[in-house]
Amino acid sequence: MNVDGKDVVGFCSNDYLGLADHPVIKQAMIDAIALYGTGSGAAHLVNGHSIVHHQLEEELAEFTGYPRALLFSTGYMANLGLCQALLDKNDFVFEDRLNHASLIDGGLITGARFQRYLHNDVASLEKKLIQVTRSMDAETLVLTDGVFSMDGDIADLPALTSLCEKFNSWLMVDDAHGFGTLGETGKGCLQHFALDRNDVPVYMATFGKAMGTAGAFIAGSDDLIETVIQKARTYIYTTAMPAAIAEATRCSLKIVQNEPEHLQNLNNNIAYFKHCCIETAIPASTSQTAIQPLLLGKDETAVKISEQLFDRGLLVTAIRPPTVPEGTSRLRITLSAKHSHDHINQLIEALSQSFKQNQ
């Protein structure tokens, strides 16, 4: 990357597979602009929904194993729209304490009775579900990230699916950081745990991370998707994503399916980074994903080390409250398939020097 005229190696992007700069995807978008223009011109339900939007939805449904998929302009809008479509003030929503802001806001915007359970603690959720007295027509929705964006840990989906089945609750998984990066062929958290649509009735993922484009989708049953189409205000009352982005995403999806080397490179880099941390006594987290946070505690320490890394040609953003809890400021290191071992060696050496300077 080049930041204010300075060349740096970025270790904070969500472009996990390195597809945002893939020449074939770029050309697919350029060709689609020539054919469809730069904008969709209207909402999906007016005349903004093109043939390539429809084709992408069908291909996403097939890839994820759900009957239907529905496109949204952003993951934030998908989460808000899904919650608003399914819940009202008579219902209940339960969320992991470290869920992404869009899930939290989605739960709050509904007016439903809202509770948060301890992070990745299924026993904590079960206690709250037991305490709930539900009327016959009330819905219960459990919302969780698949991969938690600041810590890189993975939700205990097998336990969550069993618990939601026991209490007859909906389960919705936001797989923004797992889609394309987890599972043998990049199908995300569900493939990672050998789960399917019967275990997770509502699935959301984004394109702005591993897929290298922009936008999001919700996958589910015919009834679910029809309900969201008719009720989700963030779908009904906004302009559809440009057809060129949809076409670029179709190309990206094909590459994920046909070029496994990108995922293999990413997994190799994750393993190499963790090995280097052990060898140099850098306090790595237990995360097994592309998100590798280094918890530093104080805000000033995180900012200072981030600045030192930048001086050494590395871009690693310091993450501070309110994004993370007080006392857990960190460097959120993210790895990509496009990083080389030399890049990682450069990062490890710079981190080691900074830790010595700040002891």
Side-chain angles (χ1 to χ4, degrees):
M1 301 180 66
N2 187 281
V3 180
D4 294 334
K6 181 181 176 68
D7 289 331
V8 294
V9 178
F11 277 96
C12 52
S13 168
N14 294 328
D15 182 23
Y16 301 126
L17 298 181
L19 298 185
D21 194 42
H22 195 292
V24 176
I25 298 172
K26 289 194 292 186
Q27 191 60 51
M29 189 167 184
I30 291 167
D31 294 343
I33 288 173
L35 187 60
Y36 299 103
T38 56
S40 62
H44 284 281
L45 298 183
V46 182
N47 72 338
H49 191 81
S50 71
I51 182 63
V52 293
H53 291 101
H54 185 71
Q55 289 168 333
L56 176 58
E57 288 177 342
E58 290 186 327
E59 289 158 6
L60 287 166
E62 182 178 359
F63 182 67
T64 58
Y66 285 83
R68 297 272 299 277
L70 186 70
L71 297 177
F72 281 80
S73 296
T74 69
Y76 214 113
M77 294 176 74
N79 285 341
L80 292 182
L82 183 280
C83 292
Q84 178 256 319
L86 293 187
L87 301 174
D88 62 32
K89 64 181 181 180
N90 297 313
D91 298 322
F92 300 87
V93 60
F94 298 89
E95 302 216 21
D96 190 290
R97 187 166 292 277
L98 295 187
N99 271 355
H100 188 267
S102 60
L103 287 173
I104 300 298
D105 288 354
L108 291 172
I109 202 173
T110 66
R113 284 160 282 190
F114 179 94
Q115 295 188 49
R116 296 165 79 176
Y117 57 93
L118 297 177
H119 174 54
N120 223 355
D121 188 331
V122 177
S124 171
L125 173 59
E126 184 169 20
K127 289 177 183 177
K128 293 182 180 298
L129 288 169
I130 290 171
Q131 293 169 358
V132 167
T133 302
R134 292 180 287 166
S135 62
M136 293 299 293
D137 60 348
E139 297 283 358
T140 302
L141 177 63
V142 175
L143 301 173
T144 185
D145 279 313
V147 176
F148 292 90
S149 60
M150 291 297 115
D151 293 271
D153 54 336
I154 306 171
D156 187 357
L157 293 187
L160 284 173
T161 59
S162 297
L163 189 64
C164 288
E165 183 178 1
K166 175 181 176 181
F167 285 91
N168 195 30
S169 298
W170 288 83
L171 175 62
M172 186 271 202
V173 174
D174 176 338
D175 206 16
H177 296 273
F179 187 65
T181 69
L182 288 180
E184 185 179 354
T185 58
K187 292 184 179 181
C189 284
L190 273 64
Q191 188 182 50
H192 176 77
F193 287 115
L195 302 173
D196 60 26
R197 69 191 192 196
N198 296 312
D199 302 298
V200 178
V202 188
Y203 181 81
M204 193 283 284
T206 60
F207 309 136
K209 299 174 179 66
M211 304 302 285
T213 59
F217 71 97
I218 290 172
S221 66
D222 285 317
D223 286 347
L224 173 73
I225 297 303
E226 284 301 323
T227 299
V228 174
I229 289 171
Q230 298 301 324
K231 292 187 175 182
R233 297 167 72 87
T234 56
Y235 178 80
I236 299 168
Y237 300 111
T238 193
T239 301
M241 71 165 65
I245 291 180
E247 184 62 27
T249 306
R250 293 183 67 211
C251 180
S252 181
L253 187 62
K254 291 183 177 70
I255 287 172
V256 168
Q257 294 176 84
N258 297 320
E259 297 180 12
E261 59 268 26
H262 303 292
L263 182 55
Q264 292 165 3
N265 288 344
L266 174 62
N267 288 330
N268 177 274
N269 283 339
I270 294 169
Y272 184 69
F273 173 80
K274 293 185 75 65
H275 169 76
C276 290
C277 286
I278 293 170
E279 291 291 306
T280 55
I282 291 172
S285 76
T286 59
S287 167
Q288 299 299 313
T289 67
I291 302 166
Q292 295 288 323
L294 293 182
L295 270 64
L296 300 171
K298 294 181 180 179
D299 299 2
E300 316 86 75
T301 304
V303 172
K304 186 176 181 180
I305 293 180
S306 176
E307 291 172 347
Q308 290 170 345
L309 293 178
F310 186 78
D311 290 339
R312 296 183 174 109
L314 298 157
L315 183 64
V316 186
T317 305
I319 305 294
R320 296 164 285 169
T323 304
V324 293
E326 291 287 345
T328 67
S329 290
R330 66 197 64 189
L331 298 179
R332 180 182 179 272
I333 295 168
T334 55
L335 297 165
S336 168
K338 291 191 75 174
H339 284 130
S340 67
H341 283 196
D342 286 343
H343 291 145
I344 296 171
N345 291 339
Q346 182 184 349
L347 174 64
I348 293 293
E349 182 179 353
L351 285 169
S352 297
Q353 292 175 359
S354 290
F355 284 165
K356 289 176 183 177
Q357 285 180 251
N358 292 280
Q359 283 179 344

